[in-house]
Every structure is written in C-alpha cells, then in structure tokens.
Amino acid sequence: MALLHGLLAWVREHPAYQTLRDALQAGLEFPTTALMQRARPPVLAALSEELSAPVVIVVPTVDESRRLVEALKLWVDDPARLRRFPEPPVLFYERAPWTPETITDRLDVLSKLFMYRLDTDAHYALADGTPPIIIASVRALMQRTLPYRQFRRAARKIAVGAHESLGGLARHASGIGYEPVSVVQAPGQFSRRGGLLDVYPPQAALPYRLEFFGDVIDTIRAFDPASQRSLPEAGRVTEFWLTPVREALPLDGERALATLRALLEAPLPAETRALLEADAQALEAAVPFPNLEFYLPYFYQEDSTLFHYLPDDALVVLCDAEKVAARWRELAEEAAEQRKQIAEEGYLPPQAAPPFVAWDAIRERLEHNAGKPTRTLALRESGESALAEGFTPEIHFAGRLPEALGRIRQWLSLNDQVVVVSRQAERMAELWQEFNPPPVLQSVPAAPEGLLTFVQGAAPGGWQWNSARGTRHLITDEELFGWRPPEPRRRLRRRAASPEFKFADLQSGDPVVHEDYGIGIFRGLVTRSVDDIEREYLLIEYAAPPARGETGSRGSDKLYVPIHQADRLSRYIGADDAPPRLSRLDSVAWAQTRARVQAAATQIAAELLELYAARQIAPGHAFAPDAAWQSELEAAFPYIETEDQVQAITAVKEDMEKAQPMDRLICGDAGYGKTEVALRAAFKAVMDGKQVGMLVPTTVLAQQHYETFRDRLAPFPVVVELLSRFRTDAEQRKVLSELLEGKVDIVIGTHRLLQNDVRFKNLGLLIIDEE
C-alpha cells in the first residue's frame, strides 16, 4: 500500500469532496473547481478509487506530469495503476525516430485502455483488474495516434489450439510494428526459429514463446528474456492478446506510400530523395522502420488521440484548465513555424494534415462524446470553492525546529491529528521525544486518532485539512526545512542481456574475435542440418593459407560457431581504423599471441598484487560511521538517487570506515551523479575532522565543482575554497594560509594543488576528477 493511502479517509469524510464525488458518479456537469496543487494528489487518488474507472489527468507541461506521478505514488492504493503517457522526443514536423522507450510506453497505455474496454479477465489487464490512472502532458496528448478502430482491427487474440500459420502470424506481427530480431529482449520484438515464435506484447510482463504443431498453436509459455528459458508450469498461458506496437502500422501503409510516391515525382535535393526512397521501400515491404511515426498523418485521416480510447465511464481531469488550453495553442503556433521549414526541405505534401490535434477538436470531443459529454473535472490553482476551503497551506518553519516542535505540541493539545512526512523522520522522532515524549506511531494507521505520526519519505508539500471532525496537519520537509522533494529522474529501461546478446547487434562484415581461433569476419546467422536436426550457427570467415606451390590465397576458411557458444565471441576493437589482419585456422600464431598476452597480464597482475599488498599493511584512518548531519545532507539531495549511485556511495563509505587507505575508482558518463558521490565522501571526511583536496583538470570544471560544493554545504559549518587562476595571488595566499591552519575544510583546484606551497594541516581524503 502507498505511504499515505491511509490518510485518504481524511478527504473522504469532507462534505465538499462527497458532493464532488456524487456529481461525477452521476455524470453531472461540475463547475471548474479551485484546488491548490499540493492538495490534488489525495483528492484525485480518492476519486480514482471510488469511481472505479480509468482516469486521465492532463497537466500543461512535461515536468508537471513527472512530478504528479511521483506525488500520486504516495496516495494511490496500488502505484502499479499509474501510467505516464509520454510525449514524443521530437518536434511535430521533425523527421526523426522516436526512442524505443517512448514508443513502448505510449503503446502500453493504449493497450491497457484497449484491454479494459474489452472487459477481459484480470490476467490481461492490470494485476488486480483495476482501471489505470494515466498522467499526460499537453504535448503528449496533442500528438495524433493510431485510431482506435485500427488498433482493434490489428489486435489479435492468440490461444492454444487455434489454427494459425506460423509464417502468417510472423508477417502479421511485422505488419503491426513488431521488430524482427534474433533474440527477443524487449517489448515490441518477435523472433522466428524453426517451429517456435517468440513475441513480446507491450502490455505483457514477460514475452511469450509459441510452439506450433503444424498450423496449430500447441503451447504458449512465458519466458525469461535474460536466460531465454521458458518458465516452469506457472509460465503456461492459454491465451493472450497480440496488440500493435507502433502508432502507424506498416500494414496500413498504402495511403502513406502513395503520398511518398507523389512527393518523389517532384524535383528534390539528392539527399532528401534518397531518404524518401528508402522510406518508400520500407512502406512497400510493410515492415517497421525508424521514422515510421513521422508519416502517421499520411496513414490515417482521423484526428485520433488518447481520448478516443477511453470508455464511457472514464474521468478526464484538466489541471489548470486555462493553462492547458493556452499551452495547447502555444505548441500549435510553434508547429506552424516548423511546418514552413520542413515544406521547404521537400518532406511535406502541400495539403498534408498536421501531426497534432487542435484544442478546439479536443474540447468538442470532451463536450460531445457519442452524444453525451465525457466526465470532466477542471481544476484551477486559485479562487473560491467548498473543496478549496478545506485545504489551507501549512506554516513554514524554515529550519526552526524548536518552533516546529512547539507548534506540534500546541496542535496535539487541541486534539488535532498530525502526520510528519520527512526524509529525516527518525531524527525528528528523536527530537520530539527529547522535547516532549509522547506515544509515537511509526507507520500511518488506517484512521489515525489523536496521534502524532512520523513517516519516512518525501512528499511535495503539506497542508492543513479542516473538516467537521477536526483539523488535520500534514507536515513535510518543505515546511520543516524548506527542502523541495527530489526531482524524478528519467530512468532508462535496461534490456535483459541474454546469452545471444553478444551477437545480436553484429552486422555481416564486422570483424570479431573468437577466444580460440582469433580474428575473423562475421558473416551472419546461418542454419545447418546435422543428423537431420536443424541448428543455428554464427558463420565466421578466416584467412586461408596459400595452396601448396602457389603464392596467392586460395580463398577463405569458415568456422561455424553454435549459438550456445556465442559468449566466446566479441567485437574486434583495434587501436586505429585500419582493417585487422585475419587469423588462419591452421596457424599457431593466434595461440602464440594469446600466450604473450597471458604472460604480460600475469606480470601486471603480480605488480598490482604487490602494490595492493603494501597498501593493505600501510596505516590509514578509519572514518567514523555517518553522523546525523550526513543524513541531513543526503536527504537534501534534489534528485532521487539511481541504483548505481547508491551502490557507489555505499562502497565508498565502507572503504572510508576501514583502517586501510582507500583507493577506489568511480566510473560513469557525464550527468550520472559522480559529483554527488564525491561530495558525500568529502562531507563524511570533514565530519570526522579531516581536510579534503579535490583535483580537477580544468579551471572551468574547478569553478563548477566549487559552486556545487558551496551551495550544497551552505547549511553546515563547512568551509569550501577554490585554487585556480580565477583567484588573485592575494586570494590564493589567503587560502593557502587558512589551509595550513586547518580553517579550510575542502579545497578544490586544478594542477595548482600539486605545487610545493600547498600544505594541509590534516589531509584525510584526495578526490581526483579525471574528466
């Protein structure tokens, strides 16, 4: 259950909420309602449960949609119901591919609504059969999508015992957008091998493996994309829906192909013509290709959006309805400017329909959906309403904890209920016990009665809730310390790495290395029959020795590598762009090369072993465990830590708390959070009375790190200084003097830190940024 789900009882008991709920249940038109943003998540969560229908929440911007998803996770009974309908990562008239994650997530939402409308059993819908809650920005909704009737026509129910041609089903999968691959690893892919067909629908938790007996589906099993192994008996299914995975279906490409051919008859720049011809060939073959969604307006004439997938009982919530309409029109105006440019480049027919739907058409759809209006709730930030009167902003204490604790005691004396949600909940509970020890409940009850509750977590701002049954207070870090909740990160979906992953991205002609036979050329995946059994092999081509008595080569030798031995192959990576010299299968040269490399590696390993053995016996400083301030610093991090970040931070702290000198390398691309790992390690060293030096390669980077460290550590008594050419000689002399006296805790600098006049009083940690 969600962190604050138990507090929805506060909302449900209010007459203003009950009036709103009853009106929406009856399908009555409800006037625009004022409700501040931080109060919307609990109200919307309560409505989504009681209406028992799909809910689409529309917000003006992309960032607002991400924040609202994170806020609703605290209140919704099952966060798995939440779906964010993502926006395409390109401009409306930009001829560029959408990312696989965007395509999959958008089709996942459409598939969920399709399954809900089919009213099938819970196995095909969400795990508990409950309708989804969809959050979408204006940009995401504006984009035209696959019409619902085309989606319904393309979707196919696959069942055990059904008469289906394996080849026909594979062609249908390709026609509705599935990508043919050697190994199925992600939604939207299919693979045909012998009498098996692997396919991964977007709404499925796992891919399915279909085994055919002639033209009959014999078995259907879910399988693990990492191991490629079918699951045991529990993985058997009797049926599933094969739903589209692209918003423009290759099998519907006739109209788009005709449009492209008409374009190609006009004079075009050579580069534009080549690109359009390639797309026309893919459309003619009815196979998916990267820029498929760009041609969506050429495929279908309908102005279809997510709203066309909603059932009659769905609820549409317009957050800040006036801003939604304004943002819609603003994006449409920007698109008009883009249209002029792409028309000049030759990609656009003169009378081409726009790739987005106008706001007036959406408003008409909401007001007259099949003869009756769609249930719609419009919200605005300010104004008067009975519901808004129930919520009022809570007091901000700006770090004055004694004042906060005193106010909480006053509220409790009035029999108010108080819930404190903080990333420092444990520390706040300790302070409360010191201030005025009452009974403390550590989790949210179903209906808290006169209790002070501390909850570990982060919420986007608190409020005071006034009702006939008393006053309730939700206090968060924003009220206590002025901290905002962490910004949600864009999490990249990692594909499962199957045993065949090593060759899945190889192209014919790529140089490869086999552990036993050396460097060769990959020539593709081939099927060979051995003892009347067909198996797939990786074909590698090697150089052949000269024939006897000849000076030239007699062709090439071939090696067939079974798929289960694909882990012995790797892509060739040379020191330059020169083509590699191919190995010969009958030569001992590769064995000699391996022996030399092994000897060199053994020598390096011995040197490293000697070095690290010396480090193990060298005396070092064992830093103390994290103090309370360390937790406060980490709680103020303005983002949610990634799994890799947490792992790196934990490893660094464990190293620092050992008596041996630390020597750890943190690797990661730009923007992956290495600076935060370094900052927390530096703060931990300072809290133990040690100084920290940070060496960076450039002056600009030194300034950036200096500003980051100074801003993050501002609430704590930590002195951060900078040594670079941005500082005058007098400023540098002052920093050096205070560094030697121990008045500077952290110094960040370029190679200036390596000069002889730089001396520390008690250096405990050196951080080297090899940017």
Side-chain angles (χ1 to χ4, degrees):
M1 184 177 290
L3 197 65
L4 300 178
H5 180 260
L7 301 186
L8 292 183
W10 291 1
V11 177
R12 293 193 181 104
E13 70 184 22
H14 200 285
Y17 167 80
Q18 295 170 4
T19 300
L20 171 63
R21 177 202 60 202
D22 295 343
L24 292 175
Q25 285 179 332
L28 302 177
E29 185 175 352
F30 204 83
T32 301
T33 303
L35 188 63
M36 62 182 181
Q37 287 193 13
R38 63 184 59 188
R40 293 173 185 176
V43 171
L44 295 177
L47 286 174
S48 70
E49 286 187 17
E50 298 200 73
L51 295 180
S52 298
V55 178
V56 176
I57 306 172
V58 186
V59 295
T61 66
V62 175
D63 288 341
E64 287 178 275
S65 69
R66 293 196 180 98
R67 287 195 292 267
L68 184 56
V69 169
E70 295 301 316
L72 282 169
K73 287 179 181 178
L74 300 172
W75 298 94
V76 174
D77 55 342
D78 181 9
R81 297 175 58 200
L82 292 170
R83 289 289 187 279
R84 196 179 82 84
F85 191 57
E87 50 289 324
V90 299
L91 301 175
F92 280 119
Y93 289 100
E94 183 179 7
R95 184 186 175 279
W98 296 5
T99 61
E101 291 78 16
T102 299
I103 294 172
T104 298
D105 289 347
R106 284 176 66 90
L107 266 298
D108 172 67
V109 171
L110 299 182
S111 298
K112 286 290 188 296
L113 291 172
F114 169 74
M115 303 305 295
Y116 182 86
R117 288 182 64 170
L118 281 180
D119 196 26
T120 56
D121 63 65
H123 176 77
Y124 305 120
L126 296 171
D128 59 353
T130 54
I133 303 171
I134 301 164
I135 297 90
S137 67
V138 167
R139 174 64 183 89
L141 284 174
M142 284 184 71
Q143 178 70 48
R144 287 175 58 178
T145 189
L146 175 67
Y148 179 79
R149 63 182 182 86
Q150 300 299 121
F151 190 106
R152 180 67 183 88
R153 180 179 63 85
R156 183 177 293 186
K157 187 177 183 180
I158 309 299
V160 172
H163 288 268
E164 291 277 5
S165 162
L166 191 154
L169 192 56
R171 287 190 295 273
H172 180 74
S174 179
I176 61 175
Y178 285 80
E179 175 191 7
V181 295
S182 300
V183 181
V184 170
Q185 297 172 315
Q189 296 179 341
F190 81 95
S191 173
R192 177 182 177 181
R193 300 197 307 276
L196 299 177
L197 181 68
D198 293 349
V199 64
Y200 202 157
Q203 79 280 5
L206 290 171
Y208 296 112
R209 177 162 293 153
L210 284 64
E211 186 173 359
F212 285 77
F213 185 78
D215 284 344
V216 176
I217 299 176
D218 190 39
T219 62
I220 302 175
R221 288 180 180 269
F223 68 92
D224 183 354
S227 66
Q228 294 291 299
R229 296 182 181 275
S230 297
L231 300 183
E233 196 64 26
R236 281 183 176 269
V237 297
T238 58
E239 59 186 21
F240 71 92
W241 278 87
L242 186 67
T243 55
V245 292
R246 299 296 287 266
E247 292 181 58
L249 303 184
L251 60 81
D252 294 333
E254 296 86 356
R255 183 169 173 266
L257 181 60
T259 303
L260 272 185
R261 285 173 174 166
L263 276 176
L264 289 169
E265 292 177 358
L268 293 172
E271 181 180 356
T272 301
R273 177 174 295 277
L275 294 173
L276 293 179
E277 286 177 347
D279 292 346
Q281 291 175 3
L283 284 173
E284 189 170 9
V287 295
F289 58 98
N291 296 314
L292 185 60
E293 280 70 23
F294 172 77
Y295 296 102
L296 195 149
Y298 307 167
F299 275 72
Y300 312 109
Q301 294 180 331
E302 299 97 320
D303 285 345
S304 185
T305 67
L306 174 72
F307 291 146
H308 292 76
Y309 284 72
L310 296 180
D312 292 339
D313 62 346
L315 171 65
V316 175
V317 181
L318 303 178
C319 292
D320 301 309
E322 293 182 358
K323 292 182 180 179
V324 165
R327 179 60 178 162
W328 205 293
R329 295 188 176 101
E330 178 185 350
L331 289 174
E333 291 174 1
E334 293 176 2
E337 296 297 323
Q338 300 160 13
R339 183 185 177 101
K340 295 178 182 178
Q341 179 180 352
I342 196 170
E344 293 173 357
E345 295 174 355
Y347 290 114
L348 194 69
Q351 305 301 324
F356 60 90
V357 180
W359 169 247
D360 291 341
I362 291 296
R363 185 176 58 188
E364 176 70 17
R365 171 76 184 183
L366 295 177
E367 294 176 355
H368 304 285
N369 179 19
K372 63 178 181 179
T374 301
R375 286 199 295 188
T376 304
L377 172 63
L379 301 176
R380 63 174 184 270
E381 177 66 21
S382 59
E384 297 182 357
S385 72
L387 190 61
E389 291 175 359
F391 290 96
T392 56
E394 198 52 89
I395 301 171
H396 283 63
F397 300 102
R400 300 186 299 274
L401 295 185
E403 180 182 341
L405 296 173
R407 186 59 65 96
I408 291 174
R409 182 166 60 184
Q410 178 184 351
W411 289 333
L412 293 178
S413 68
L414 298 174
N415 203 32
D416 290 355
Q417 297 177 19
V418 182
V419 174
V420 178
V421 182
S422 173
R423 300 180 80 185
Q424 296 295 321
E426 184 177 352
R427 178 58 178 158
M428 288 299 301
E430 293 174 356
L431 292 174
W432 173 252
Q433 289 176 339
E434 295 172 4
F435 186 79
N436 183 26
V440 178
L441 190 65
Q442 292 297 340
S443 61
V444 178
E449 294 292 337
L451 295 174
L452 170 61
T453 308
F454 291 97
V455 181
Q456 179 69 30
W463 32 258
Q464 180 175 309
W465 179 238
N466 306 297
S467 69
R469 296 185 59 182
T471 303
R472 285 74 185 267
H473 305 267
L474 178 66
I475 309 297
T476 70
D477 285 328
E478 183 174 337
E479 288 75 38
L480 292 173
F481 307 108
W483 296 344
R484 294 181 178 178
E487 289 289 335
R489 289 182 180 269
R490 295 185 182 183
R491 298 188 180 274
L492 298 179
R493 184 182 293 106
R494 296 181 179 179
R495 294 188 174 189
S498 69
E500 293 83 0
F501 177 74
K502 292 181 177 295
F503 71 84
D505 61 344
L506 289 176
Q507 302 294 325
S508 180
D510 289 346
V512 294
V513 181
H514 191 286
E515 288 185 16
D516 300 321
Y517 300 104
I519 303 172
I521 301 297
F522 177 65
R523 293 304 183 192
L525 195 66
V526 298
T527 302
R528 292 179 65 85
S529 180
V530 179
D531 296 333
D532 295 329
I533 299 176
E534 283 194 353
R535 292 190 175 92
E536 289 182 307
Y537 296 85
L538 306 171
L539 175 58
I540 314 299
E541 186 179 281
Y542 287 89
R548 179 174 296 180
E550 299 178 5
T551 57
S553 173
R554 57 179 175 84
S556 61
D557 284 347
K558 295 180 175 60
L559 177 69
Y560 294 91
V561 181
I563 281 184
H564 67 270
Q565 294 183 9
D567 58 338
R568 306 188 71 80
L569 281 176
S570 60
R571 185 185 295 276
Y572 172 82
I573 302 174
D576 50 36
D577 294 332
R581 181 178 179 180
L582 302 186
S583 303
R584 295 195 336 226
L585 291 180
D586 66 341
S587 172
V588 297
W590 178 251
Q592 293 172 347
T593 300
R594 287 187 61 185
R596 290 196 302 269
V597 171
Q598 187 172 2
T602 302
Q603 181 180 353
I604 294 174
E607 294 173 357
L608 289 174
L609 183 62
E610 182 179 351
L611 171 63
Y612 281 93
R615 292 184 65 87
Q616 286 294 319
I617 62 175
H621 176 75
F623 289 89
D626 288 355
W629 279 358
Q630 184 82 25
S631 300
E632 292 185 16
L633 170 76
E634 297 178 0
F637 184 46
Y639 298 95
I640 298 173
E641 295 88 346
T642 65
E643 293 180 8
D644 291 340
Q645 254 186 320
V646 172
Q647 183 179 355
I649 292 167
T650 302
V652 168
K653 288 182 178 180
E654 290 175 352
D655 284 353
M656 293 179 68
E657 293 175 10
K658 296 177 182 177
Q660 291 81 23
M662 178 173 69
D663 182 18
R664 178 169 288 274
L665 175 65
I666 304 296
C667 296
D669 291 336
Y672 275 59
K674 300 186 299 295
T675 302
E676 181 65 18
V677 178
L679 187 146
R680 296 188 186 186
F683 188 73
K684 182 178 180 69
V686 172
M687 290 297 97
D688 212 31
K690 295 291 186 177
Q691 291 174 297
V692 178
M694 186 173 188
L695 179 64
V696 298
T698 66
T699 305
V700 173
L701 189 59
Q703 184 69 29
Q704 291 175 349
H705 282 328
Y706 169 66
E707 293 174 357
T708 299
F709 274 61
R710 185 185 58 186
D711 293 344
R712 289 276 279 115
L713 301 178
F716 306 95
V718 177
V719 179
V720 183
E721 283 294 352
L722 174 68
L723 275 179
S724 73
R725 61 182 179 86
F726 283 174
R727 291 294 177 92
T728 65
D729 291 342
E731 289 174 334
Q732 292 189 37
R733 286 194 296 270
K734 182 175 183 293
V735 171
L736 294 175
S737 174
E738 293 180 346
L739 192 64
L740 183 58
E741 296 173 9
K743 295 180 180 179
V744 172
D745 299 302
I746 301 174
V747 61
I748 301 171
T750 56
H751 62 280
R752 178 70 179 86
L753 280 181
L754 302 178
Q755 297 182 10
N756 293 332
D757 59 344
V758 179
R759 297 178 182 177
F760 294 82
K761 181 180 181 181
N762 191 11
L763 179 63
L765 177 65
L766 175 64
I767 302 170
I768 303 174
D769 190 338
E770 298 180 303
E771 174 76 14

